[in-house]
Amino acid sequence: MFRYSVTNWDGFDPTRHYIGLRNYIQIFHNSEVWHTFFNSVYYLGASAVQISLALFLATILSYGLRGSNIFKGFLVFPFLLNSVAVALVFRYLFQGPGITAHAGGLDWLLQHLGLGHFITQWIGNSRVINFSLAGVSVWRYFGFNLVLFLGAIQSINPELYEAAQLDRANRWHQFRYITVPGIRRITALTFILAIGGSISVFEIPFIVSSGQNGSSTFVIETVRTAFVENRVGYASALAVLLLGIVLLVTFIQRTIFKDEQVDLV
């Protein structure tokens, strides 16, 4: 990929002309490319909400409440669905009267709940579209984080919780001093996956909005540059830059969240 990125190859010509770092210089002078990159902030915020909710519900479900297995199934089910199918479903749900003859499923629900004043063009309004798409990613990947946190919490020695109860520690203290330290490694992993996934978002915005109306992401821009504009050399430079950013973020996170042995005893 790096070898392609220092050429002006169009993807068809059997010869590739070396142009040095010209593609990389052009990237840093292309404001449109960086605008798509900063769209990742919406998905990063959604990931923070997603992780917080997953940790909260995983903690509650780990208490062994009645019917908790049913709730686990409902919460994890979206992650088992195909990303393309999820995007197509939400593409219909977000459609408003201006796009189809009838309001989409979300508008219909808001109307029947008496919340019609919240109805808007979910994918037609440039101020709302990225929030809508990021919300889909929360629903789509929430179950994955829930499974990670549930597995981590259940791996903690239950005798620690029993000892804490004997010492009259409430749920908050158990969560703060036993659960949080015990799942630190999984928490660090979820942050690494969240940031990497936020930077490389593709399926949901590509299928729901085709990257239009200000919803394009860095990966969508890379794919469009390579296969629509036939600028494979420039697109390769974008891909190499994305890889470098993900590796840098991962290195920083691994430096902050060092892989140390956790001793709760």
Side-chain angles (χ1 to χ4, degrees):
M1 189 67 70
F2 178 78
R3 185 158 53 91
Y4 292 155
S5 70
V6 293
T7 68
N8 62 351
W9 190 39
D10 61 0
F12 299 98
D13 197 326
T15 60
R16 297 186 288 271
H17 301 286
Y18 175 79
I19 61 173
L21 300 177
R22 194 178 304 171
N23 285 328
Y24 293 94
I25 296 174
Q26 184 179 353
I27 291 174
F28 285 98
H29 287 84
N30 190 340
S31 59
E32 184 177 345
V33 170
W34 291 105
H35 175 73
T36 62
F37 177 77
F38 285 117
N39 279 344
S40 301
V41 174
Y42 293 97
Y43 297 93
L44 186 60
S47 297
V49 174
Q50 177 190 128
I51 292 173
S52 300
L53 287 175
L55 178 57
F56 174 73
L57 290 178
T59 303
I60 293 177
L61 293 175
S62 65
Y63 295 151
L65 303 178
R66 180 179 299 178
S68 60
N69 289 332
I70 298 177
F71 287 106
K72 291 177 185 178
F74 278 116
L75 295 173
V76 175
F77 179 72
F79 179 69
L80 304 178
L81 299 176
N82 182 273
S83 296
V84 176
V86 171
L88 289 174
V89 169
F90 275 92
R91 183 177 181 178
Y92 168 76
L93 291 177
F94 286 143
Q95 287 178 343
I99 301 177
T100 59
H102 302 284
L106 181 57
D107 290 351
W108 177 89
L109 178 62
L110 291 175
Q111 288 175 353
H112 284 74
L113 291 177
L115 302 174
H117 54 282
F118 286 111
I119 294 177
T120 185
Q121 292 289 338
W122 303 105
I123 57 177
N125 187 340
S126 59
R127 297 182 179 180
V128 177
I129 185 170
N130 286 307
F131 290 101
S132 301
L133 297 175
V136 176
S137 67
V138 172
W139 183 84
R140 170 70 175 83
Y141 296 104
F142 170 82
F144 175 70
N145 287 317
L146 181 68
V147 170
L148 290 180
F149 284 129
L150 273 174
I153 293 174
Q154 291 175 355
S155 67
I156 298 175
N157 189 346
E159 294 180 356
L160 296 174
Y161 291 102
E162 294 175 2
Q165 290 176 354
L166 292 176
D167 290 336
R168 298 182 180 180
N170 56 34
R171 293 292 189 184
W172 165 247
H173 290 136
Q174 293 177 33
F175 174 78
R176 179 179 178 182
Y177 296 108
I178 299 177
T179 304
V180 172
I183 64 173
R184 186 169 60 185
R185 291 180 178 178
I186 294 299
T187 304
L189 173 63
T190 57
F191 276 108
I192 291 174
L193 294 176
I195 293 181
S198 299
I199 296 174
S200 57
V201 172
F202 175 70
E203 298 101 327
I204 292 175
F206 183 76
I207 296 173
V208 175
S209 64
S210 301
Q212 301 299 316
N213 203 16
S215 64
S216 182
T217 63
F218 199 89
V219 177
I220 292 177
E221 183 68 18
T222 302
V223 172
R224 185 185 65 81
T225 302
F227 300 109
V228 177
E229 299 181 0
N230 296 325
R231 300 166 62 194
V232 176
Y234 184 69
S236 299
L238 290 172
V240 171
L241 178 61
L242 177 62
L243 174 62
I245 292 172
V246 172
L247 291 177
L248 177 62
V249 170
T250 303
F251 173 77
I252 294 174
Q253 288 184 312
R254 294 293 295 174
T255 303
I256 296 175
F257 297 97
K258 294 182 180 179
D259 190 12
E260 300 175 350
Q261 183 67 32
V262 178
D263 187 6
L264 298 176
V265 182

